[in-house]
Amino acid sequence: MFIRIVRLLFGMAVFGFAMPAVAQEDWPNRPIKFVVPTPPGGGTDLYARALAPALSEQLKQPAIVENRPGAGGNIGADAVARAAPDGYTFLVSATGTMVVNPSLYRELPFDVERNFTPVARGVTGPFAFVSHPAFVAKNLNELVALARSKPGQISFGSAGVGSVSYLAVRMLEEEAGVSFLHVPYKGLGQAYQDLLGGQLDFVYSDLGLALPHIQAGRMHPLAVTAKTKLIPQAPTLGDAGFKDVRADNFFSVYAPAGTPTSIIDRLNAAIGSAMRSPTLAAKLEAQGWTPVFETPAQFAASVKRERKRWAAFIRRNGITADQ
């Protein structure tokens, strides 16, 4: 009897250890969820919804996008941090949530280092300072001059204190020695409504998000982060003499910590293949986005460097989201 029990327990142990391997080899065998921690209409949401159908084709399973906005992206990120690390829930995030927030908030419900595994950087994208066409300043130097004559009166909208759309303007304030009036929103899509209506003076925005409005004459580009053929007439930050305003953005994919390495590697490869497909490549180019093909290890190293750079700026300026 004792020997039979030992054999039974041994068999159960072998079966138990085999199950994760079988599950990994079979991945994915059901729909995959990508959580976007921002409202619909922003750059992160646009990237996720462009990527999802291409990944569905690559992985032969539906890729579902779910918006979980709030608290500067922390609500959606926390939901993913608490999710089962089984390869069926991932976070699609911009720079703010995973790179900037650890330095902005005294306490977070998750630890970006311990609770997440970087999967793929995805894309980087140009940004632009954009204004209403009727705004008196027509370029960045004129905007700075106007701010010097009216300290704290020229308004700008952002997606919140933790967003790149806010921090870039703070960088401009630091370098130019001026101050602006901050008007926070839950997302840039909402800020756009007031900018288009003339209630805001300017916004620092993903170029892809602003491009249709620029092309239609509803917005005016004061400056872009880098030369782009999408709006070749727009001056760059370097042209304006503000080379230290380095507030780039990238849209990336993260998994809950503990997700099997084999799944991380397979999803990284699938994202790379999807971004090389003609259909998605055309969508990315139309937004001004540049694909970044990095291994998970390369991406993890890039994220650490960016966190250090942003942490130094945030400490230097005493910026905090805990107000």
Side-chain angles (χ1 to χ4, degrees):
M1 176 66 73
F2 176 75
I3 294 175
R4 289 178 59 189
I5 293 174
V6 170
R7 286 176 178 173
L8 178 61
L9 291 174
F10 178 76
M12 292 174 63
V14 170
F15 180 75
F17 281 116
M19 280 300 288
V22 171
Q24 292 172 43
E25 291 172 5
D26 195 33
W27 180 89
N29 57 23
R30 55 187 170 89
I32 299 170
K33 180 169 66 177
F34 290 94
V35 175
V36 174
T38 56
T44 311
D45 182 66
L46 292 177
Y47 172 66
R49 295 184 186 280
L51 179 64
L55 275 180
S56 295
E57 185 175 344
Q58 289 282 328
L59 299 172
K60 310 304 180 186
Q61 287 290 341
I64 301 166
V65 177
E66 177 184 303
N67 295 87
R68 296 284 296 272
N74 294 332
I75 290 176
D78 186 45
V80 175
R82 296 173 185 273
D86 55 7
Y88 292 95
T89 303
F90 297 92
L91 178 73
V92 180
S93 173
T95 302
T97 303
M98 299 300 289
V99 175
V100 176
N101 282 8
S103 297
L104 276 178
Y105 292 84
R106 283 189 291 271
E107 292 185 10
L108 288 175
F110 52 85
D111 185 290
V112 292
E113 296 280 353
R114 292 200 304 267
N115 298 139
F116 293 92
T117 299
V119 177
R121 183 188 285 266
V123 297
T124 61
F127 269 67
F129 285 92
V130 293
S131 65
H132 189 278
F135 185 51
V136 61
K138 299 304 179 186
N139 57 53
L140 202 59
N141 293 114
E142 291 183 6
L143 174 66
V144 168
L146 188 63
R148 287 199 178 106
S149 66
K150 298 181 178 181
Q153 298 181 48
I154 307 304
S155 63
F156 75 97
S158 83
V161 171
S163 68
V164 173
S165 58
Y166 169 79
L167 294 170
V169 180
R170 292 298 306 269
M171 282 186 173
L172 179 61
E173 288 179 331
E174 181 185 57
E175 187 172 355
V178 296
S179 62
F180 297 100
L181 174 64
H182 178 219
V183 184
Y185 294 83
K186 292 183 178 179
L188 276 186
Q190 296 178 2
Y192 269 27
Q193 296 178 18
D194 284 351
L195 182 66
L196 293 170
Q199 285 81 45
L200 280 178
D201 292 321
F202 72 97
V203 168
Y204 183 78
S205 167
D206 308 75
L207 179 57
L209 197 61
L211 190 61
H213 300 290
I214 294 173
Q215 293 171 334
R218 295 188 295 268
M219 288 185 187
H220 175 74
L222 299 169
V224 293
T225 52
K227 279 292 183 185
T228 171
K229 62 182 180 181
L230 297 175
I231 45 171
Q233 76 279 10
T236 67
L237 293 174
D239 294 334
F242 298 105
K243 296 180 180 180
D244 291 336
V245 182
R246 293 174 51 227
D248 303 315
N249 203 7
F250 51 86
F251 304 119
S252 310
V253 179
Y254 299 82
T259 301
T261 302
S262 61
I263 292 177
I264 297 294
D265 291 340
R266 287 180 64 186
L267 182 57
N268 177 278
I271 291 172
S273 296
M275 291 193 300
R276 290 183 176 93
S277 67
T279 301
L280 182 55
K283 290 182 180 179
L284 300 180
E285 183 178 355
Q287 296 289 335
W289 291 333
T290 302
V292 179
F293 303 104
E294 294 177 328
T295 66
Q298 290 169 334
F299 174 40
S302 298
V303 169
K304 286 185 178 180
R305 287 194 299 270
E306 283 295 294
R307 284 189 186 128
K308 288 181 180 178
R309 183 175 73 86
W310 280 106
F313 168 75
I314 289 167
R315 283 196 304 269
R316 190 167 65 243
N317 287 273
I319 302 171
T320 177
D322 298 309
Q323 297 175 348

